[in-house]
Amino acid sequence: TSLRIFSTIFLADLILVACPSSTSFFITKGLKSSIDWQALGFVICGEASNGVDALEKIRMYHPDLVLLDIRMPKMYGTELIKVLRNEGFTGEFIILSGYSDFEYAQTALHYGASYYLTKPIDEDELTTAVINVKNKIQKEKENRNSMEQYVSRAKDSILRELLLFNKFDSDI
């Protein structure tokens, strides 16, 4: 049997700010159970109920994909993305929002969100977005692995030449 490698996904406050916390749990739980994340190649590594908590946990877990709302308590999703991008976070973002305001979408995309989907979330649309992001993540990982292999081979080749031809600088 072959080992299947999963990417990680993080769920952050996937509700409107006005919703009571009991609804927050229901919507996040619904999203967790309505999509077969494992079949899509993802494992849920964490959840957060507000932007500040999400920021801390994303820093801790370094997920490959983050699903978040645009207007979260304590920190908007756009601000969260901006802070993480400025810190060098390279994971992908999918925004799930109750706001179809063009300015929110434009800001989210400016800071590197892959998708901006409006609620109510169409399960097929979300699945398609997740698959597209997954393919992008896989391609980037393959490119990184190829580059690492090239660098390793180059180092081996240089070392072999130095050892075989005694081309050492005596001043080193």
Side-chain angles (χ1 to χ4, degrees):
T1 60
S2 64
L3 178 65
R4 186 163 180 195
I5 299 174
F6 291 99
S7 295
T8 52
I9 189 168
F10 186 86
L11 307 174
D13 192 52
L14 300 172
I15 55 147
L16 299 176
V17 175
C19 293
S21 60
S22 60
T23 306
S24 169
F25 177 75
F26 174 76
I27 291 174
T28 303
K29 185 177 172 84
L31 185 64
K32 283 171 52 177
S33 62
S34 67
I35 305 274
D36 187 352
W37 296 108
Q38 202 166 25
L40 295 176
F42 286 92
V43 172
I44 296 172
C45 67
E47 301 172 45
S49 61
N50 64 67
V52 172
D53 189 31
L55 181 63
E56 291 173 14
K57 289 182 178 179
I58 291 167
R59 285 172 172 158
M60 184 181 352
Y61 297 130
H62 304 284
D64 297 303
L65 173 60
V66 177
L67 271 62
L68 71 156
D69 200 337
I70 200 80
R71 293 188 66 184
M72 298 183 289
K74 299 186 182 181
M75 179 185 283
Y76 277 15
T78 49
E79 183 64 21
L80 176 89
I81 295 171
K82 179 182 175 183
V83 168
L84 288 166
R85 290 293 188 225
N86 287 339
E87 292 176 359
F89 179 76
T90 58
E92 300 294 323
F93 294 96
I94 294 177
I95 303 271
L96 308 176
S97 180
Y99 298 90
S100 58
D101 186 313
F102 177 72
E103 190 175 323
Y104 284 134
Q106 187 178 30
T107 303
L109 295 173
H110 172 75
Y111 289 123
S114 297
Y115 287 89
Y116 188 99
L117 307 177
T118 56
K119 297 175 190 174
I121 300 302
D122 177 271
E123 196 172 310
D124 292 333
E125 185 180 19
L126 177 58
T127 299
T128 299
V130 170
I131 289 169
N132 289 339
V133 168
K134 173 66 176 176
N135 291 338
K136 180 180 177 186
I137 291 167
Q138 284 180 318
K139 185 76 171 157
E140 289 171 355
K141 284 183 179 181
E142 288 169 9
N143 289 343
R144 267 195 311 273
N145 288 341
S146 293
M147 184 57 74
E148 288 170 4
Q149 288 175 355
Y150 291 136
V151 168
S152 178
R153 284 188 212 142
K155 285 180 183 177
D156 290 346
S157 178
I158 291 168
L159 184 59
R160 191 175 316 106
E161 281 187 39
L162 287 171
L163 292 173
L164 289 175
F165 300 109
N166 282 331
K167 293 187 177 184
F168 291 103
D169 187 343
S170 60
D171 294 334
I172 298 180

